[in-house]
Amino acid sequence: MAGAAKAVLVAFATVTAHGAMAQGTAPPGWWSSPGIIGTMVLLGIVLFVAALIITARVSSMIKSMNGLNSAQPEAGPDPDGGHQPEYRLKGDELGGSAPAQDAKQLVMRATSEPGNPLVDEKIYSRTRLDVPQDLRKLVIWFLGASAFWLVFGTLVGEYLGLKFVWPDMDHVSWLSFGRLRPVHTNTVFWGWSSMAMIGLGYFVVARTSATRIYSYRWAWWSFWLINAAITLGNICLMAGINNGGGEYREYIWPVMLLFALGLILTFRNFYATVKRRKIAEIYVSNWYLLASLLWTLVVATIGYLPWYQEGLGETVIQGYYMHMGVGIWFMTFTLGLIYYYLPSALNKPIYSYSLGVLAFWTQVLFYTLIGTHHFIFAPLPWWLQTVAIVFSVGMFIPVFAGTANFLMTMRGSWSAIGKSYVLPFFLVGVVYYCVGSSQGSFQAMRFTNHIWHFTDFNVAHSHMTMYGIVAFILWACIYAIVPKITGREPAQLLVGAHFWLAFIGVFAYTVSLMAGGTVKGWAWIQGVPFIETVIETRGYWTWRAIGGSLMFISHLIFVWNFATMVRSPRAAAREVLAVEPVAA
């Protein structure tokens, strides 16, 4: 697998270099640029993780087959005269004062060390959480709506990706690229990701505060306001009614006001729930969730007030809004979810509360001033561009702190990779958090920005972050918690199909556009006519369409899995504590 990884990296380098040199002579030593080297290393990390997961799954299959071959079950009488295996439990297998007996190999490993996690070392537990009916219904409806918007939004994205290969697919105005592209981005942003985040967040604030949601009425009002905003916003976009050229703020202000009202109700509800908590501490997840909601309201207000947005002022605000929307809303909220759902899934505390606090405050410090790195070499003050680059490099601190915290929490639980797809989803999301965020910092440097800006490389980067990080983490949280509150589990084969199609799809998608963007950037530097660069990029767009198709198929499988988990929820097997042992 290491050889395959090396081959992919060499192929990427060869393809981009060949395409670039075909258009002209590149500056000497361009491969030694920190941004180029860093990006190549990050791609190698993703391939290494893929090899790790494949190895774990294959090893688990081999051990399972060996266990089946070596097991000798006791035979009992068969009413028909033959013999059949006897699998009745006698009551002293795994408990009581007598020595543990495990003739059926339910436990793969045991230890007397108190700090060693045992739950993830066993075959999947059937224990269900006794969740209030109102909370269960609220979470399921938010996640169900998010699943719908995921399929709708990525169906539009799939159609747009095919248009790059077959541009004459249609000649209908409301299906034009300029109208559908913001439908795709806004739907997956505000529909899929935001709805899933809020639904999962309601469960977190209730469980970590050991109390009920302050107002279910407010929660349902926010549900309908946000869905109304997405529906009306998409209708307006397809009709040609939009907010102008501001990326991710194409919804007109009355539509975005509905979304903002939904966020205000959500923030008020979260805050009131945490305020009424029955434990002294505020768990670190709630720091991230509450701060993300509050900051997003500030960002939306700044992004839509028109008084100071004239000329270059609008350019500065656009960079601020666009990057803060991704980093302060999606990334910060998703990190808050990881701090609850990852320890909960592994039945162990987060590795370091202090690292979580460090990552929180450094995220606040550095993220607020990096939006201008989208406009390097633009007619903006040079000092402002430099500040954006410096603060982009500073983002290594919260990214490395968070990544180390999550990976150290997983330490000792790697065997779970071979037994369940929950940890692989978490692992890919955490690794992409490190890779995608670090790659963004490398891309902010002037040399790499000069090559890649305004090319397909930016599209690859956005999918590496919003898909590789946010989507994979949301799926991990959903697969971790929904079976526990409904009593139904999806088929692991279909969960595996979802994982691998999404993972391979996004990797093919991003690598092809990174290579194509590099070729296009060098061609522009050499003065090649624009239409020739379009022709040169068609092959990369084909791979983009293939990767996007795999991703879309995985979404259909996810919707099927979700429907399997939520249909006719079963009653909880037993009552559990209001708060799970996740605090450090």
Side-chain angles (χ1 to χ4, degrees):
M1 192 67 190
K6 181 179 179 181
V8 171
L9 293 177
V10 172
F12 175 80
T14 304
V15 168
T16 53
H18 175 75
M21 304 313 168
Q23 310 296 346
T25 303
W30 69 285
W31 279 109
S32 61
S33 165
I36 299 293
I37 295 175
T39 300
M40 300 296 289
V41 171
L42 295 174
L43 283 175
I45 293 175
V46 175
L47 286 170
F48 172 76
V49 171
L52 176 66
I53 296 174
I54 292 175
T55 303
R57 300 297 297 184
V58 172
S59 175
S60 177
M61 292 175 60
I62 294 175
K63 289 181 179 179
S64 178
M65 294 177 63
N66 291 336
L68 290 175
N69 293 333
S70 61
Q72 298 293 333
E74 299 176 4
D78 189 339
D80 297 330
H83 286 81
Q84 61 180 2
E86 179 63 54
Y87 290 110
R88 295 179 182 176
L89 297 177
K90 300 176 181 179
D92 61 351
E93 287 82 0
L94 299 176
S97 59
Q101 300 179 18
D102 186 28
K104 306 299 178 270
Q105 297 184 349
L106 296 178
V107 178
M108 299 187 65
R109 187 172 68 196
T111 179
S112 59
E113 299 176 13
N116 190 289
L118 297 178
V119 171
D120 58 305
E121 300 293 345
K122 300 179 182 178
I123 293 176
Y124 189 82
S125 173
R126 303 287 176 176
T127 302
R128 306 302 172 206
L129 301 179
D130 188 16
V131 181
Q133 178 63 30
D134 290 340
L135 180 59
R136 180 190 296 115
K137 180 180 178 181
L138 184 67
V139 171
I140 290 176
W141 274 69
F142 264 97
L143 296 181
S146 72
F148 169 79
W149 290 121
L150 172 66
V151 172
F152 174 78
T154 52
L155 175 63
V156 174
E158 171 75 1
Y159 188 73
L160 293 174
L162 294 176
K163 274 195 168 190
F164 279 88
V165 183
W166 298 293
D168 293 326
M169 289 180 65
D170 68 76
H171 299 280
V172 182
S173 59
W174 55 275
L175 291 179
S176 62
F177 185 90
R179 296 190 185 183
L180 285 185
R181 200 268 177 175
V183 171
H184 164 65
T185 55
N186 285 276
T187 300
V188 295
F189 272 34
W190 315 125
W192 148 242
S193 298
S194 298
M195 294 293 287
M197 286 158 42
I198 294 173
L200 293 166
Y202 268 111
F203 188 85
V204 172
V205 295
R207 302 291 287 187
T208 57
S209 301
T211 187
R212 69 184 301 275
I213 297 298
Y214 179 76
S215 173
Y216 283 102
R217 183 168 174 266
W218 290 359
W220 285 109
W221 267 105
S222 66
F223 175 86
W224 293 113
L225 284 170
I226 294 173
N227 277 285
I230 302 162
T231 302
L232 295 175
N234 287 340
I235 292 174
C236 290
L237 290 178
M238 297 181 77
I241 304 171
N242 57 66
N243 192 44
E247 191 174 16
Y248 308 146
R249 54 174 177 163
E250 292 90 350
Y251 285 169
I252 57 177
W253 72 263
V255 170
M256 204 61 185
L257 179 61
L258 296 177
F259 186 87
L261 290 175
L263 289 192
I264 292 173
L265 288 175
T266 302
F267 171 75
R268 182 71 180 89
N269 218 358
F270 279 23
Y271 176 82
T273 302
V274 174
K275 181 180 179 181
R276 296 167 63 246
R277 67 191 183 277
K278 297 178 181 178
I279 55 178
E281 298 83 4
I282 298 179
Y283 186 60
V284 66
S285 286
N286 296 327
W287 287 44
Y288 282 86
L289 302 188
L290 291 174
S292 177
L293 285 163
L294 181 60
W295 292 337
T296 302
L297 291 171
V298 174
V299 171
T301 302
I302 293 175
Y304 273 83
L305 289 179
W307 306 319
Y308 40 77
Q309 298 195 43
E310 295 182 0
L312 292 179
E314 183 177 9
T315 302
V316 175
I317 294 301
Q318 172 58 30
Y320 170 82
Y321 174 88
M322 176 172 54
H323 216 91
M324 289 287 283
V326 174
I328 293 301
W329 173 230
F330 297 106
M331 206 62 61
T332 303
F333 201 105
T334 302
L335 290 174
L337 296 177
I338 300 176
Y339 275 102
Y340 173 81
Y341 286 102
L342 177 60
S344 175
L346 297 176
N347 195 40
K348 59 163 68 172
I350 196 71
Y351 173 72
S352 172
Y353 196 94
S354 299
L355 275 178
V357 175
L358 171 66
F360 176 85
W361 286 112
T362 50
Q363 176 111 344
V364 176
L365 173 64
F366 292 113
Y367 218 104
T368 52
L369 289 175
I370 66 178
T372 308
H373 76 207
H374 285 274
F375 301 103
I376 302 298
F377 302 114
L380 296 177
W382 193 257
W383 67 265
L384 185 59
Q385 300 178 36
T386 302
V387 167
I389 295 173
V390 171
F391 275 62
S392 298
V393 175
M395 278 300 297
F396 281 121
I397 298 175
V399 169
F400 287 170
T403 302
N405 210 2
F406 301 141
L407 292 179
M408 292 302 288
T409 302
M410 297 180 192
R411 185 185 59 174
S413 302
W414 298 112
S415 61
I417 294 178
K419 300 181 180 67
S420 170
Y421 275 103
V422 171
L423 187 59
F425 272 108
F426 273 121
L427 180 60
V428 169
V430 170
V431 169
Y432 263 117
Y433 172 58
C434 179
V435 170
S437 301
S438 300
Q439 192 273 315
S441 297
F442 286 129
Q443 191 174 342
M445 299 175 184
R446 284 193 169 92
F447 178 78
T448 48
N449 203 289
H450 183 47
I451 303 172
W452 289 331
H453 196 39
F454 299 121
T455 71
D456 292 320
F457 202 103
N458 280 334
V459 182
H461 171 70
S462 64
H463 283 75
M464 185 182 295
T465 53
M466 283 301 300
Y467 196 91
I469 305 172
V470 176
F472 270 83
I473 293 299
L474 293 178
W475 285 325
C477 297
I478 291 171
Y479 282 126
I481 198 61
V482 173
K484 293 182 179 179
I485 67 176
T486 64
R488 294 188 179 276
E489 302 169 20
Q492 282 296 299
L493 178 63
L494 292 180
V495 178
H498 171 203
F499 174 83
W500 287 111
L501 287 173
F503 182 71
I504 296 173
V506 71
F507 188 79
Y509 188 105
T510 54
V511 170
S512 61
L513 290 188
M514 289 166 71
T518 305
V519 169
K520 184 179 290 186
W522 277 122
W524 290 349
I525 292 174
Q526 301 302 323
V528 176
F530 179 79
I531 189 62
E532 292 187 19
T533 66
V534 173
I535 297 173
E536 287 289 332
T537 314
R538 286 198 63 183
Y540 304 104
W541 287 340
T542 300
W543 279 104
R544 167 202 184 130
I546 293 173
S549 298
L550 295 177
M551 294 154 67
F552 180 67
I553 294 172
S554 76
H555 303 163
L556 297 178
I557 297 174
F558 163 69
V559 170
W560 176 267
N561 291 338
F562 181 77
T564 301
M565 291 186 287
V566 301
R567 75 178 192 276
S568 302
R570 295 171 178 169
R574 65 179 180 87
E575 184 177 355
V576 297
L577 295 177
V579 182
E580 296 180 13
V582 295

